[in-house]
Amino acid sequence: MSLNPWARNPWFETVHEAQRRAKQHLPKSVYSSLVAGTQAGVTLDDNMNAFSQLRFSPHVVGVQPDRELSTSVMGQELPLPVMISPTGVQAVDPDGEVAVARAAAARGTAMGLSNFASRPIEEVTAVNDKIFFQIYWLGSREEILERAMRAKDAGAKGLITTTDWVFNIGRDWGSPEIPESVNLKALVRLAPEIAVKPRYAMKWIRGGKVEIPDLTVPNLVPRGQRGPTFFGAYGQWMNTPPPTWEDLEWLRNKWDGPFMVKGISRVDDAKRAVDIGATALSVSNHGGNNLDGTPATIRVLGPIADTVGNDIEVLLDGGIRRGSDVVKALALGARAVMIGRAYLWGLGANGQAGVENVLDLLRMGIDECLMGLSRKSIHELTRDDLIIPDGFEMRLGD
């Protein structure tokens, strides 16, 4: 008897279904880490709910038979305006970031690889040549630059500096207790959760041996060395003074290649990103895992894109669950979007194939929206395609 209840029909029709299957498949602690937000989860909810307040204004005559979805981000040609956002250590699937990279490569798109990834960057760039390496400001300038240069040597095509993070006191909203390392004590505590998820447990058995998830972060040390535990690295991060704009400009000048600043929600910060010579910026609030109570990213996207969109590539990160969400972001000035939870749910539901499934759903949803709007290309999308309620958009800073 198969342990996979979806063996006959592994395809899922919506990202919501991917989430449902991931919840059924993953141990409670693992799944909870994929849905957690900060404090009351106000920003987490707004990231998703705000999209439903935007409506379409379609033309019904003149539907285009062929539609163009391709774009480019930081010098990389993409067949659809969706790329993988960097996320930290993954115990969702034994192949972790390598499985995600393969899925992105199979669909021709780019992937951001987290500083806190569980797989070395060399393994990830070996299966996808469109990798952007994400940097947290952790340690000394020399250590940060060493990590960046290792990524460049491994073939990373660009650098993403993440700034949208606050160190909250206490646990995040809905977040489980994650062990320092998966040792015997942790396995005993987690055993009841894993025992009721046999399909998840079986995926970690290879060659008759059980592979224990590794909660270390190998990309924070020179290649070949064992990285610190996730919480060891987190502690070092918390004790490193946050970067200034001067720090970011220094790193940008040291990095000879495309450079993204992730975490922008204010117009004045967007202008600063332009001033330091960044190639791109991501309008992001860390998926609702930053300062709770900040607006949904789609609410602040338009004013930022209107102000700096001719000077820098503008992306959006946060709340994307459907192809229609992507189209709404593009109509407000985004060049592309980055997805996080959506692909992690796909990974939890069906491994690499599940991530490909999510990307296919978004691509089909984008294409359907273009057809409904009678647009031939994503580059034709404008505000005229949307009905924007009064007070929806928020211009922060100036």
Side-chain angles (χ1 to χ4, degrees), residues 149-228:
M149 292 303 103
R150 174 185 169 185
K152 182 179 286 289
D153 290 343
K157 299 299 193 298
L159 202 64
I160 300 173
T161 57
T162 295
T163 63
D164 51 340
W165 185 260
V166 170
F167 299 111
N168 295 285
I169 298 174
R171 296 183 192 172
D172 291 346
W173 172 84
S175 181
E177 181 180 353
I178 302 173
E180 170 71 20
S181 62
V182 186
N183 51 28
L184 180 60
K185 181 179 178 180
L187 287 173
V188 170
R189 181 172 64 80
L190 296 173
E193 291 186 26
I194 298 174
V196 297
K197 304 293 183 179
R199 179 172 168 242
Y200 175 81
M202 289 296 292
K203 291 181 72 171
W204 292 89
I205 299 176
R206 297 185 178 183
K209 296 182 180 180
V210 178
E211 292 186 0
I212 304 299
D214 188 355
L215 297 185
T216 62
V217 283
N219 295 307
L220 292 181
V221 294
R223 184 179 184 182
Q225 293 186 15
R226 180 175 175 78

Side-chain angles (χ1 to χ4, degrees), residues 68-73 76-82 335-336 378-379:
E68 176 59 52
L69 274 62
S70 64
T71 189
S72 64
V73 173
Q76 300 302 304
E77 297 297 324
L78 309 182
L80 76 166
V82 180
R335 189 183 192 93
I378 59 171
H379 303 289

